[in-house]
Amino acid sequence: MEKALRIYAEVLRLVRRLPKDSRPYYAKYARENFVNYREVDANDAKSLEELFHRAYNHSVWVLNKYSVNGSAADKLKEICNSS
């Protein structure tokens, strides 16, 4: 659970790098996704890793969409790949 909260916090930090008019949409989108997946079994490591990987990939995609340097997501990648 702690790792998921760290990832969520980092995703919200990345949202702040987006243009002002798109921030509310992506902040809400991130929250809804994290809420929707709260039912995932915390003991199912494979499912969690898959979700964390998806969060990272989607974040990089959004950053690239708005021409924000993808290296901004390096900390998120580090958190997602940590044990």
Side-chain angles (χ1 to χ4, degrees):
M1 180 67 159
E2 181 182 328
K3 184 175 180 179
L5 291 175
R6 289 177 51 215
I7 290 171
Y8 178 61
E10 188 58 31
V11 166
L12 291 180
R13 283 187 197 94
L14 293 174
V15 166
R16 289 188 219 135
R17 294 175 173 262
L18 300 175
K20 277 190 173 188
D21 60 334
S22 62
R23 290 178 196 168
Y25 171 80
Y26 285 104
K28 182 178 178 185
Y29 180 82
R31 183 181 190 291
E32 287 174 352
N33 274 285
F34 276 86
V35 167
N36 287 340
Y37 290 107
R38 68 179 168 210
E39 300 297 324
V40 172
D41 183 7
N43 297 318
D44 187 354
K46 183 177 179 181
S47 292
L48 290 174
E49 289 304 314
E50 192 176 291
L51 287 172
F52 298 156
H53 184 72
R54 196 177 326 162
Y56 170 74
N57 285 337
H58 187 74
S59 296
V60 169
W61 183 87
V62 171
L63 292 173
N64 288 333
K65 177 181 176 182
Y66 290 99
S67 300
V68 176
N69 188 339
S71 67
D74 286 349
K75 184 174 180 183
L76 177 60
K77 183 177 184 178
E78 181 182 313
I79 296 168
C80 289
N81 291 332
S82 69
S83 297

